[in-house]
């Protein structure tokens, strides 16, 4: 998926939910101006809607191939992010280095999600929300232009407050 085109910096697989095949976990990833990052096609039944190889906005680190030159002697993941959004950071670095991200649907993975959280805490949802929101704010500050942040600040603040009250 990456060899024929030197502009492709990473390739991602079609990922199914291991316990709920043929439900998709993701087929690449997407993101928005609020700093949210999510799996493309998440929770959809696979009916062939993601069977075409194509460029995708972001990657998922569950299963990927990465061109070594993309890292430019940087670590694979930013250690400041620890857990959650580290793959979004990697996506933005891949794109920032001038590479694209390719979705390769013939590469298939069955993923058991959230295994790293199990056993760490008795309240995994709060753990995920806290780390996800913290890291999303870090990435907004690191990558998003000030005019975009200012324009979206009310929605960003509401999205952060929403998780505190759910």
């Amino acid at each position: 998926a990456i060899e024929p085109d030197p502009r492709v910096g990473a390739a991602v697989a079609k990922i199914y939910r291991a316990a709920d095949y043929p439900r998709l976990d993701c087929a690449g990833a997407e993101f928005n101006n609020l700093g949210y990052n999510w799996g493309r096609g998440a929770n959809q039944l696979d009916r062939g809607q993601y069977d075409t190889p194509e460029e995708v906005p972001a990657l998922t680190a569950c299963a990927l191939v990465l061109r070594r030159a993309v890292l430019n002697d940087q670590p694979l993941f930013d250690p400041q992010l620890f857990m959650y959004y580290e793959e979004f950071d990697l996506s933005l670095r891949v794109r920032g280095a001038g590479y694209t991200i390719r979705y390769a649907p013939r590469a298939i993975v069955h993923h058991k999600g959230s295994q790293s959280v199990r056993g760490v805490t008795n309240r995994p949802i709060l753990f995920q929300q806290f780390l996800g929101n913290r890291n999303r704010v870090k990435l907004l500050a690191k990558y998003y232009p000030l005019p975009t942040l200012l324009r979206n600040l009310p929605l960003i603040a509401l999205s952060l407050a929403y998780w505190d009250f759910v």
Side-chain angles (χ1 to χ4, degrees), residues 135-149:
N135 292 346
R136 183 167 63 101
V137 169
K138 285 181 178 184
L139 292 182
L140 284 165
K142 182 176 179 180
Y143 291 108
Y144 281 62
L146 186 59
T148 301
L149 290 174

Side-chain angles (χ1 to χ4, degrees), residues 31-36 136 140 144 148 152-156 159:
F31 61 94
N32 65 17
N33 280 345
L34 304 181
Y36 276 115
R136 183 167 63 101
L140 284 165
Y144 281 62
T148 301
N152 292 293
L153 190 58
L155 287 175
I156 292 168
S159 71

